[in-house]
Amino acid sequence: MKVIAIILFIFCSAYNVYAQQVHTAKGSISYVIPKNMTLEQAEIFAVQEAKAKIIAENFGTLVGSTTSMAISDSESSITSFIFADLDEKGEWLETIDGPYITRRVHNNEFILDVTISGKIREIVSAPIQFQAKVLRNGVTDNCESSEFKNRDYMYMSFISPTDGYVTVYITDGKDVQCLFPYNGLPAEYMKVLADKRYVFFSKENSGEIDPARVSRCQMGCQQDNEPNRIYLIFSPQKYTKAVDYSAPERNMPRTLSYKDFHSWLSKNKRLDKEFTCKHFDINIRK
């Protein structure tokens, strides 16, 4: 029986290695630009949709998580959401060509045609199921929201079943800002303990961190409606945060380019199968 168990273990391990091989894939989509969305914002969402389609065509989809896209009606000041209740059974590791984006008009609709190719990997094992919530103007989970107004405060709650390491980033599709660890904190503050609830960006819930070193996160916008994406990254394995630089404005988070951030993200996903990135789409309005 021991010999059989060993053989089965080797077979299962070999299967997992094979199933998680990296593939190269290419695809295209036509994306109708929603009203009141800027061209810049639409290009970001169109590229994400193209990646999702490629993954779905290769590995299928699972009913699960919900992603959202905010569209503001400037006349009524009402923000509506488009929900996509599908979660891909794979992940985008790296872009190797493109994206190539062309613009056209058809039946009075503005359309983006996107072509992109990259390296993808099937997800064959469940990632660590940590919980994270984006909170508005409060630190309890019932303050969860994806809608913010100018000068609102954002917090994030987090709890994991295992010890690990956390970083938090935010992007408007141009630059990426590192929100956690806070400016000036050494790398050891990325570590979190199992079964402990954390509230990031709260001086009153700073834990082992000196409250004076906590950076509060006050939201701001220049346009009537500004979609942003927050990335919370977790791994039980120690990793190094992306190389970033001090912002020109005093007391602003450190920044890096959108391209450099995703290059860093892709590399870590390839090297660490437990490296998990969860994103949250939020909208900021004046």
Side-chain angles (χ1 to χ4, degrees), residues 91 93 121 167 169 190 233-235 237-243 260-277:
E91 56 185 340
L93 296 179
R121 177 174 62 197
T167 49
Y169 295 87
M190 291 168 54
I233 297 158
F234 173 83
S235 176
Q237 311 299 324
K238 190 173 184 179
Y239 63 91
T240 304
K241 74 180 183 73
V243 175
D260 287 346
F261 171 73
H262 280 278
S263 176
W264 169 83
L265 201 62
S266 298
K267 181 179 179 180
N268 279 280
K269 284 182 178 180
R270 290 197 307 271
L271 297 176
D272 179 3
K273 66 179 182 180
E274 295 182 301
F275 188 87
T276 305
C277 178

Side-chain angles (χ1 to χ4, degrees), residues 10-50:
I10 293 173
F11 174 79
C12 290
S13 298
Y15 172 78
N16 284 334
V17 171
Y18 174 78
Q20 287 190 298
Q21 283 184 340
V22 175
H23 302 276
T24 299
K26 181 179 181 179
S28 301
I29 66 161
S30 294
Y31 182 83
V32 179
I33 302 177
K35 293 180 180 178
N36 301 316
M37 177 178 280
T38 68
L39 178 61
E40 202 168 56
Q41 293 165 354
E43 288 183 351
I44 295 169
F45 282 108
V47 171
Q48 295 298 327
E49 289 291 319

Side-chain angles (χ1 to χ4, degrees), residues 64-85:
S65 67
T66 300
T67 58
S68 62
M69 179 173 63
I71 305 169
S72 176
D73 184 341
S74 59
E75 293 182 359
S76 61
S77 298
I78 296 175
T79 300
S80 60
F81 286 88
I82 298 173
F83 291 99
D85 293 320

Side-chain angles (χ1 to χ4, degrees), residues 17-240:
V17 171
Y18 174 78
Q20 287 190 298
Q21 283 184 340
V22 175
H23 302 276
T24 299
K26 181 179 181 179
S28 301
I29 66 161
S30 294
Y31 182 83
V32 179
I33 302 177
K35 293 180 180 178
N36 301 316
M37 177 178 280
T38 68
L39 178 61
E40 202 168 56
Q41 293 165 354
E43 288 183 351
I44 295 169
F45 282 108
V47 171
Q48 295 298 327
E49 289 291 319
K51 292 177 181 178
K53 181 187 176 186
I54 293 169
I55 292 170
E57 288 177 344
N58 282 269
F59 305 128
T61 56
L62 290 171
V63 175
S65 67
T66 300
T67 58
S68 62
M69 179 173 63
I71 305 169
S72 176
D73 184 341
S74 59
E75 293 182 359
S76 61
S77 298
I78 296 175
T79 300
S80 60
F81 286 88
I82 298 173
F83 291 99
D85 293 320
L86 292 175
D87 194 12
E88 295 81 19
K89 292 172 61 178
E91 56 185 340
W92 188 272
L93 296 179
E94 182 180 5
T95 299
I96 58 177
D97 191 31
Y100 299 104
I101 303 174
T102 58
R103 309 163 188 171
R104 60 187 172 93
V105 178
H106 180 70
N107 292 335
N108 294 322
E109 292 183 319
F110 293 95
I111 299 172
L112 299 177
D113 294 317
V114 181
T115 299
I116 190 171
S117 61
K119 294 180 181 179
I120 58 176
R121 177 174 62 197
E122 184 179 13
I123 297 174
V124 296
S125 59
I128 295 173
Q129 296 298 305
F130 62 83
Q131 293 184 2
K133 297 181 185 295
V134 177
L135 313 175
R136 173 177 174 259
N137 290 338
V139 297
T140 57
D141 284 351
N142 61 359
C143 296
E144 183 178 16
S145 179
S146 60
E147 275 290 299
F148 289 81
K149 292 182 180 179
N150 191 39
R151 303 187 70 80
D152 278 346
Y153 284 96
M154 185 196 76
Y155 305 93
M156 290 194 76
S157 65
F158 175 86
I159 186 169
S160 165
T162 65
D163 292 357
Y165 299 84
V166 167
T167 49
V168 181
Y169 295 87
I170 188 170
T171 183
D172 57 1
K174 302 175 186 176
D175 295 325
V176 180
Q177 296 179 320
C178 179
L179 299 181
F180 186 84
Y182 310 122
N183 281 349
L185 283 186
E188 56 260 31
Y189 284 100
M190 291 168 54
K191 186 171 183 179
V192 292
L193 302 178
D195 303 320
K196 180 177 179 180
R197 184 177 185 270
Y198 292 83
V199 180
F200 302 127
F201 320 120
S202 170
K203 292 182 179 291
E204 295 75 22
N205 298 267
S206 61
E208 294 79 20
I209 300 174
D210 179 358
R213 305 187 72 178
V214 173
S215 298
R216 298 188 72 189
C217 190
Q218 188 174 35
M219 312 306 284
C221 63
Q222 296 178 338
Q223 302 179 21
D224 291 336
N225 176 60
E226 293 188 8
N228 281 253
R229 173 162 287 186
I230 297 169
Y231 296 88
L232 189 145
I233 297 158
F234 173 83
S235 176
Q237 311 299 324
K238 190 173 184 179
Y239 63 91
T240 304

